Amino acid sequence: MVLRVAEFYSGVGGMHFALKETGIDFQVVRAFDINTVANEVYTHNFAEVPLMQRCIEALPMSMFEALKADLWTMSPPCQPYTRQGLQRGSDDMRSKSFLFLIDLLGKLQRKPTFLLMENVVGFEKSDTRAILLRQLVRVGYRFEEYLLNPLQLGYPNSRTRYYLLAKLDAQPQVCSDSEGLPARFRYEVPGVEMIPPAADCDGHVDFEKGAWDHDKVRQIMAFMEDLSDDELASSRLSQNVLDKHGYVHDVVTPADRRTCCFTKGYTRFAEGTGSILQTAGVVGTDPMTVENTRYFTPREIANLMGFPAAFYFPAATTVT
């Protein structure tokens, strides 16, 4: 049986590549995203997939029924929930399309059997999560929630994420809008070899501050590319940036085993947007210079995020 997949918020194809890694026989029947650049990258890698650049909430129910999807994958906008944002949750306009999909689950005649949803850490504390879980209970989905970090799989990038898996095989139940659902997060995936995160005596896990068995995390150098002189020149930090903002960057070396989460502000803003690479000397002892300090390239960031070698950017795609 071929699993029919509807890929919402398809981005540059991370969920699609992840599905290919599973070995499952599947077909993405349609992908959805409103970001033009992301769609160009997605189509460059998956030209066979029909991709729709439309607001999801403006589409008729008949279109969703016609998909006959067995699985919905969803990576809705993270801005309403990120720790660096205002955390307005469901009051943020950028959450409206996801709320529409949640509501749609109660109306469709042909509901997806499986759901896979991903978002930033912070979503697990949001009112949108409560709305989602109540709807799943009402419709008859059994679900599991996870908080996971790529470090656990040996990737040297600290990027904690919320994941939800759901299957339509439970008895629908009455669930009021005020009913609270307990937080039962899993921090490891059964059957998968992972590095367990550190926890305090109360069982609270903090991926960012916890102690890791770093010997099992690969070194950054394994994810670096051999750059040409032109590529090196374009990735270097200017002396002006080093003088003004060098001290606020998260600086790592090729031998290190951890980088910070990379955001869309990388290369444009200094603090909290991702690590920079000091290729020579000792961080904190030897000065950062134009010659020994650079940004990670887009391909290297993709490597750190687990994208396969088969993933590539169109030639016309630029950093800015």
Side-chain angles (χ1 to χ4, degrees):
M1 173 185 170
V2 178
L3 194 73
R4 294 175 60 86
V5 181
E7 194 175 2
F8 297 102
Y9 317 101
S10 50
V12 298
M15 285 286 195
H16 195 139
F17 278 114
L19 280 171
K20 293 182 74 171
E21 289 291 316
T22 68
I24 294 171
D25 191 6
F26 74 95
Q27 176 192 6
V28 176
V29 294
R30 190 172 291 276
F32 302 82
D33 208 293
I34 61 170
N35 186 290
T36 301
V37 176
N39 287 345
E40 290 172 353
V41 178
Y42 186 99
T43 300
H44 195 62
N45 287 273
F46 303 111
E48 75 282 2
V49 176
L51 193 153
M52 182 172 286
Q53 187 168 333
R54 293 274 303 278
C55 292
I56 292 171
E57 60 269 38
L59 300 173
M61 187 180 299
S62 59
M63 196 225 64
F64 295 96
E65 294 281 12
L67 292 174
K68 298 180 181 178
D70 304 302
L71 166 65
W72 284 6
T73 65
M74 299 173 284
S75 296
C78 65
Q79 294 91 338
Y81 318 107
T82 181
R83 290 172 294 182
Q84 294 184 347
L86 298 177
Q87 299 181 335
R88 298 183 65 228
S90 298
D91 290 331
D92 192 308
M93 285 300 297
R94 291 167 289 192
S95 69
K96 298 308 177 187
S97 63
F98 185 51
L99 293 171
F100 172 82
L101 289 177
I102 294 173
D103 184 63
L104 194 63
L105 287 172
K107 298 176 179 178
L108 287 174
Q109 293 298 311
R110 199 204 189 279
K111 307 179 195 305
T113 305
F114 305 101
L115 303 173
L116 170 57
M117 181 259 177
E118 173 270 344
N119 214 281
V120 294
V121 65
F123 179 87
E124 79 280 6
K125 301 176 183 178
S126 71
D127 65 326
T128 308
R129 170 187 172 265
I131 294 169
L132 169 62
L133 298 192
R134 289 170 190 147
Q135 181 73 318
L136 296 181
V137 170
R138 291 169 185 147
V139 175
Y141 281 93
R142 176 171 54 91
F143 59 87
E144 296 176 351
E145 297 177 283
Y146 294 82
L147 291 175
L148 304 171
N149 192 298
L151 290 169
Q152 295 177 266
L153 296 169
Y155 287 88
N157 181 238
S158 185
R159 183 181 173 88
T160 307
R161 286 296 181 267
Y162 168 93
Y163 295 91
L164 177 136
L165 299 174
K167 183 178 181 181
L168 186 64
D169 65 355
Q171 186 66 34
Q173 300 178 34
V174 175
C175 187
S176 70
D177 289 340
S178 61
E179 185 165 342
L181 295 169
R184 295 172 180 166
F185 303 115
R186 301 187 181 200
Y187 303 101
E188 296 180 73
V189 179
V192 178
E193 185 177 352
M194 304 178 74
I195 303 171
D200 60 23
C201 58
D202 296 323
H204 175 70
V205 171
D206 188 330
F207 288 100
E208 307 303 326
K209 298 179 181 178
W212 292 86
D213 184 357
H214 280 287
D215 288 342
K216 294 182 180 178
V217 178
R218 285 173 283 176
Q219 291 179 305
I220 292 169
M221 66 178 71
F223 299 82
M224 293 169 56
E225 299 286 311
D226 293 326
L227 304 184
S228 67
D229 290 342
D230 288 344
E231 289 172 324
L232 278 173
S234 64
S235 65
R236 288 185 175 126
L237 279 73
S238 69
Q239 190 62 54
N240 183 53
V241 170
L242 288 173
D243 291 341
K244 288 186 175 180
H245 307 293
Y247 69 96
V248 301
H249 280 100
D250 179 74
V251 185
V252 297
T253 71
D256 286 333
R257 301 175 188 268
R258 181 183 182 277
T259 55
C260 288
C261 178
F262 295 93
T263 74
K264 68 177 183 179
Y266 190 59
T267 74
R268 294 188 295 118
F269 301 102
E271 189 170 7
T273 60
S275 303
I276 59 173
L277 186 65
Q278 184 171 327
T279 56
V282 178
V283 173
T285 300
D286 297 306
M288 291 186 292
T289 67
V290 173
E291 288 73 28
N292 74 3
T293 310
R294 68 174 179 86
Y295 294 108
F296 286 91
T297 68
R299 176 67 251 186
E300 289 171 331
I301 295 172
N303 294 342
L304 290 167
M305 291 184 175
F307 278 83
F311 168 78
Y312 53 105
F313 294 97
T317 302
T318 61
V319 174
T320 55

